[in-house]
């Protein structure tokens, strides 16, 4: 049984480190706002008439 507890403890520590990293990213990293321009070819907006 001690091996099972050790395994579960290691999994809990790994999960805690991952969770802590995600919380740190949310708290410490601020996204930068910027404008995005996407050029669409006119052929896609106004397709030529089908014959």
């Amino acid at each position: 049984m001690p091996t099972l507890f050790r395994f579960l403890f290691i999994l809990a520590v790994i999960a805690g480190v991952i969770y802590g990293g995600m919380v740190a990213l949310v708290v410490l990293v601020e996204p930068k706002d910027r404008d995005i321009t996407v050029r669409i070819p006119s052929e896609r907006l106004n397709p030529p008439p089908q014959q």
Side-chain angles (χ1 to χ4, degrees):
M1 265 319 203
T3 307
L4 176 63
F5 291 134
R6 187 181 310 149
F7 175 70
L8 292 176
F9 178 74
I10 291 172
L11 285 181
V13 168
I14 291 172
V17 168
I18 292 172
Y19 184 78
M22 291 184 346
V23 169
L25 282 175
V26 167
V27 171
L28 299 176
V29 177
E30 291 292 327
K32 298 177 183 176
D33 292 337
R34 59 182 176 175
D35 293 333
I36 298 176
T37 303
V38 178
R39 297 198 181 272
I40 302 174
S42 62
E43 292 83 23
R44 291 188 62 193
L45 293 176
N46 299 320
Q50 300 271 336
Q51 294 188 13

